[in-house]
Structure formats: C-alpha cells, structure tokens
C-alpha cells in the first residue's frame, strides 16, 4: 500500500511538473528539430566556366620587362585582396619576382648568359601534377581539382603550415596577422583571409568559373600563355612545341604546370 | 512518519528551483526580433527556399554551398522553386547579400538576439551600406 501510493505521487507530480513548469519551450525545441535541414535543390557549373583537363602556363621571359611585371603582380594582388605588408617576415605574396639562381637552383651554373643571370623571373604556385602540399595537408584544405588546379579551401585551413614545409617552391604565405588593415582597396568580389590561414595563387579559379582568364595572363598582354596542357591542339601545346622551356626543380618529381621560356 | 512532510516540502522546493529557468524565461523573454527585409528582397517575394526552411536551415544550406563552390566548382543552385541562383555570399546581385543588402538589418538582428557570432565576415566582405 505504502509503495503504490508513493508511486502514484510521483506520477501526479511528474505530470503536474510538465504542466506548471511550462515545458512548452522544451517540447517545442524538440519538435523544431524535426524540421528537415536538407533541401533537394541541385547544383551545376556556370555555363561560361572555362574547363580543361590540366591547366598550365608558360611565362615568356623574353617579353617580361620592368614595364609590365609590376602591373602583372598588381593585377593578381588586387584581384585577390593580397595584403601589402612591409615586414619581410610577415609578408604575403601570390606572385613575385625571383632571381634565376633562386628560381632555378639546379640549372644555375658558372658563366651563365648575362641576360638570364640578371633576369627577374615571375614565380608563383606551379599547380604541380603531383603536389606534395596536398599530401602534407592533414585537413584536406589543400586539394587538387580535376582540372589540375591545386586549390585551397580557406574555410578548412587550421594554420598548421605542413603545406608550407612540403612545398619546395616557397609558393605559400602564412597570415601572421589580420590582413585586412594591410589591404588598401578591398575587392568585394573576393574574400580576404584571416589570421592563421595559409594562402597562395589559385590559378584564378574564381575567374575561370565565370569564363575569364587569370588576372595575370590578362595583364601580361601575351607574355603569359594559359591553356590546357592535356589538349594537343591547344595554343599552349603549340608554344611548348616551338620553344625550349624549363620548369622549376623538375627532378623533385612534383610535375610543375608552369613553364618558362628563357 | 513525520519525515513525510519534510520530504514533500523538499520535493516541491526542488521542483521549483529545477524548473525556474523555464517559467522565468517564459515571463521574461523579449520578443523575437524581426529581420528587416531590403526592398530587393521584398520585391523578390520568395527566398531561395521556403521561408520556414531558411529560418532554421540557412546555415546548413550555406555550409553545403561553400563546399559545392570551393571544392566542386558548382556555382549555380537550382532551387526547389525552379529558379537558378548564383551561389555566393556577397558577390553580385544574385548573391545572398546582393538581395539582403544590409548585414546589420538582416543577419545581425537574429544573430545578436540568439548570441550567435558566425565568423563569415572575418573574410567575406559585407556590403558597403553597413559602414
Ligand atoms: S608549387 Fe607548392 S604549393 Fe603549388 S602545387 Fe606545387 S607544391 Fe603545392
Ligand atoms: S593565376 Fe591568378 S592567382 Fe595565380 S598568379 Fe596569376 S593572377 Fe595570381
């Protein structure tokens, strides 16, 4: 008897608790979580998207000069909100100039042609066919797309910098500080990055997606050729056929997609 | 058997304290804010997906969108309402912020209320009108 009365007390107490305490919000939130969070829309590429099996570039150093090189660099950095940080240790760059002996240490030798020895080379990410940076990235923030572009998903970068250690070309920069104050004029069409994120040239993936060629190619007026390396009919393959070209550190086996006419 | 009273009293006090946040909030809660729609959004009449879904699920949609764009290069969304949308947070007229021109009037209204601070705007550039 004693037992059953205690039991009925708890029953009544429990029910009245639900009533008086306004369990409604709790129940509501349970009910709300039943709302479906997935919708069945579908996704496609823009019709104007430029597509290729393997994008590549040829830099014709014979056509580079002090007149056009700064504007090529500026075109890229403006388009991608690359901050202009004076402190060498914190600097961020997507495309920059490098001396021959640094860009091509394995080809460098004594008694080099004077023009080549003094030339500044435009260097940036090589969008390697076998990219060590992709293998090193623990979060898959760096990945290689089907069209050969080695791209970064800034959302996923945890700033561990394994990719920077893995890249034999120093193509990547790290944001040691918030880049926003160092961008003179932000381009609203491209995001900035934040402190703790790695960045590099993206072969202008965002421009290819809307049918435009990369900003540096556009600014180079023919000094840079851009195209599909896997298409034997493409302009880039024609230029490769007709010119002697070199790639950076080919012996490492990364398979750079950027070629240089010297 | 005198303990009975003490036990009941204790149970009641426990119940009151335990449920305090629920009924206290019901009495006190400030009304949910109404985000202000821009004229463009009003004219469009419909969002990318039904309003009810967008209220609770916009973050899931945005999450899927960012992966589609960045990782798969898919930049167009065919909505269940049959329309095509440009997948972008803030670039172009057909983007999220192209329609909801003011972050302060639209996003922040609810996010502040719910004490949610998404970090989208650390990188993405909000429309100029907010300055
Ligand atoms: S150049 Fe460096 S960052 Fe670019 S794909 Fe090759 S290894 Fe990766
Ligand atoms: S391809 Fe685009 S991101 Fe890369 S260096 Fe050229 S302009 Fe910059």
């Amino acid at each position: 008897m004693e037992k059953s009365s205690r039991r009925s007390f708890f029953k009544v107490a429990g029910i009245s608790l639900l009533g008086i305490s306004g369990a409604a919000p709790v129940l509501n939130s349970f009910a709300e979580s039943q709302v479906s969070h997935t919708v069945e829309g579908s996704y496609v590429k823009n019709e104007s998207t430029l597509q290729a099996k393997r994008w590549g570039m040829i830099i014709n150093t014979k056509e580079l000069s002090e007149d056009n090189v700064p504007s090529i660099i500026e075109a890229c950095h403006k388009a991608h909100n690359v901050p202009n940080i004076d402190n060498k240790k914190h600097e961020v760059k997507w495309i920059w100039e490098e001396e021959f002996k640094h860009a091509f240490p394995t080809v460098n030798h004594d008694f080099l042609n004077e023009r080549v020895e003094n030339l500044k080379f435009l260097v940036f990410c090589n969008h390697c066919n076998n990219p060590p940076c992709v293998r090193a990235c623990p979060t898959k923030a760096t990945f290689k797309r089907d069209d050969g572009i080695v791209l970064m998903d800034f959302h996923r970068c945890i700033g561990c910098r394994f990719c920077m250690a893995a890249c034999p070309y120093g193509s990547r920069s790290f944001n040691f500080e918030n880049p926003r104050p160092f961008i003179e004029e932000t381009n609203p069409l491209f995001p900035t990055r934040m402190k703790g994120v790695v960045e590099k040239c993206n072969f202008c993936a965002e421009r290819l997606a809307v049918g435009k060629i990369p900003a540096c190619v556009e600014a180079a007026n023919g000094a840079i050729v851009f195209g599909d390396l896997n298409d034997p009919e493409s302009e880039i393959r024609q230029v490769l056929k007709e010119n002697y070209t070199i790639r950076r550190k080919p012996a490492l086996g990364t398979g750079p997609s950027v070629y240089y006419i010297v | 058997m005198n303990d009975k009273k003490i036990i009941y009293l204790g149970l009641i006090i426990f119940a009151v304290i335990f449920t305090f946040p629920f009924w206290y909030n019901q009495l006190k809660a400030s009304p949910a804010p109404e985000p202000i729609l821009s004229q463009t959004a009003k004219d469009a009449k419909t969002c990318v997906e039904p309003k009810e879904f967008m209220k609770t699920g916009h973050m899931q949609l945005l999450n899927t969108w960012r992966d589609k764009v960045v990782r798969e290069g898919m930049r167009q969304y065919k909505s269940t309402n049959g329309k095509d949308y440009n997948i972008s947070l803030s670039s172009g007229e057909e983007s999220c912020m192209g329609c909801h021109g003011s972050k302060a009037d639209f996003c922040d209204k609810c996010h502040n209320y719910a004490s949610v601070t998404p970090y989208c705007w650390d990188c993405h550039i909000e429309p100029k009108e907010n300055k």
Side-chain angles (χ1 to χ4, degrees):
Chain A
M1 199 57 213
E2 177 74 328
K3 225 181 190 174
S4 75
S5 74
R6 190 193 294 165
R7 199 173 164 183
S8 53
F9 166 78
F10 279 123
K11 262 192 208 158
V12 175
I15 293 166
S16 43
L17 248 182
L18 276 180
I20 55 165
S21 66
V26 183
L27 295 178
N28 282 349
S29 71
F30 284 144
E32 229 150 80
S33 65
Q34 301 296 315
V35 174
S36 163
H37 281 321
T38 48
V39 282
E40 300 292 325
S42 55
Y43 299 86
V44 283
K45 290 191 168 142
N46 286 3
E47 264 169 32
S48 55
T49 302
L50 300 181
Q51 289 177 338
K53 288 251 162 56
R54 182 182 167 192
W55 288 117
M57 274 194 206
I58 305 174
I59 318 288
N60 187 349
T61 60
K62 287 177 186 155
E63 290 186 29
L64 293 181
S65 70
E66 269 157 31
D67 297 334
N68 59 5
V69 164
S71 57
I72 294 173
I73 296 177
E74 192 184 272
C76 169
H77 285 190
K78 266 211 166 136
H80 299 106
N81 292 322
V82 178
N84 189 1
I85 302 175
D86 281 338
N87 182 349
K88 274 269 169 219
K89 283 184 185 160
H90 292 188
E91 119 188 289
V92 174
K93 47 196 191 209
W94 284 28
I95 175 166
W96 70 101
E97 289 177 285
E98 197 74 86
E99 283 174 51
F100 183 78
K101 62 172 184 276
H102 293 140
F104 300 93
T106 48
V107 196
N108 190 39
H109 53 73
D110 298 342
F111 320 119
L112 203 65
N113 169 305
E114 205 173 312
R115 185 188 71 91
V116 171
E117 196 169 12
N118 297 321
L119 243 177
K120 296 275 197 185
F121 284 79
L122 272 181
V123 295
F124 45 99
C125 170
N126 289 290
H127 297 274
C128 304
N129 202 25
N130 179 18
C133 55
V134 170
R135 255 172 294 144
C137 178
T139 66
K140 292 199 163 55
T142 294
F143 60 101
K144 191 174 152 221
R145 293 205 317 195
D146 291 343
D147 60 1
I149 294 182
V150 176
L151 199 62
M152 278 204 66
D153 183 344
F154 300 124
H155 304 108
R156 286 175 77 136
C157 178
I158 54 169
C160 70
R161 290 178 276 164
F162 286 11
C163 61
M164 298 180 72
C167 172
Y169 307 96
S171 299
R172 298 168 162 261
S173 303
F174 184 69
N175 284 284
F176 283 97
E177 44 200 321
N178 177 14
R180 280 249 173 120
F182 299 94
I183 305 166
E184 279 125 51
E185 202 187 310
T186 41
N187 168 17
L189 300 182
F190 201 79
T192 65
R193 269 68 59 194
M194 58 194 280
K195 187 179 174 180
V197 168
V198 172
E199 61 183 83
K200 67 167 191 73
C201 154
N202 64 355
F203 254 27
C204 288
E206 85 287 357
R207 288 173 60 98
L208 299 177
V210 293
K212 291 187 193 158
I213 56 168
C216 59
V217 179
E218 197 176 87
N221 277 324
I224 305 178
V225 182
F226 180 71
D228 188 355
L229 291 171
N230 272 22
D231 174 8
E233 303 302 319
S234 66
E235 184 199 355
I236 193 168
R237 285 286 292 276
Q238 268 3 85
V239 177
L240 281 175
K241 217 181 267 176
E242 285 157 18
N243 293 277
Y244 177 71
T245 51
I246 53 175
R247 294 190 290 176
R248 297 181 66 197
K249 305 184 185 175
L252 295 177
T254 64
S257 301
V258 177
Y259 293 74
Y260 294 84
I261 300 175
V262 286
Chain B
M1 279 298 109
N2 262 348
D3 291 353
K4 226 181 194 171
K5 265 187 197 154
I6 300 171
I7 291 173
Y8 284 153
L9 192 67
L11 273 173
I12 289 168
I13 292 173
F14 168 76
V16 169
I17 292 175
F18 184 76
T19 61
F20 177 77
F22 294 112
W23 51 261
Y24 180 77
N25 271 338
Q26 277 218 317
L27 296 178
K28 279 279 291 211
S30 50
E34 274 289 317
I36 302 169
L37 285 184
S38 68
Q39 197 54 45
T40 337
K42 276 187 199 149
D43 292 345
K45 295 219 170 57
T46 155
C47 192
V48 173
E49 288 295 340
K51 190 174 159 196
E52 287 317 308
F53 166 78
M54 292 310 282
K55 261 189 185 169
T56 55
H58 62 280
M59 51 293 214
Q60 271 87 357
L61 192 66
L62 289 175
N63 197 37
T64 314
W65 278 13
R66 87 175 185 193
D67 286 347
K68 286 286 174 186
V69 165
V70 182
R71 305 194 77 88
E72 293 172 40
M74 307 280 188
R75 288 178 173 251
Q76 288 224 8
Y77 179 68
K78 194 175 256 322
S79 160
T80 47
N81 70 22
K83 275 203 215 162
D84 286 328
Y85 292 91
N86 167 32
I87 305 183
S88 171
L89 199 51
S90 52
S91 67
E93 282 181 14
E94 283 286 297
S95 63
C96 307
M97 296 317 284
C99 198
H100 300 288
S102 168
K103 170 175 168 281
D105 285 344
F106 191 71
C107 318
D108 294 352
K109 277 262 159 22
C110 295
H111 286 164
N112 289 346
Y113 173 77
S115 223
V116 175
T117 33
Y119 42 80
C120 313
W121 308 105
D122 287 354
C123 295
H124 290 270
I125 296 161
E126 60 187 83
K128 284 224 171 47
E129 294 84 280
N130 293 319
K131 283 172 195 152

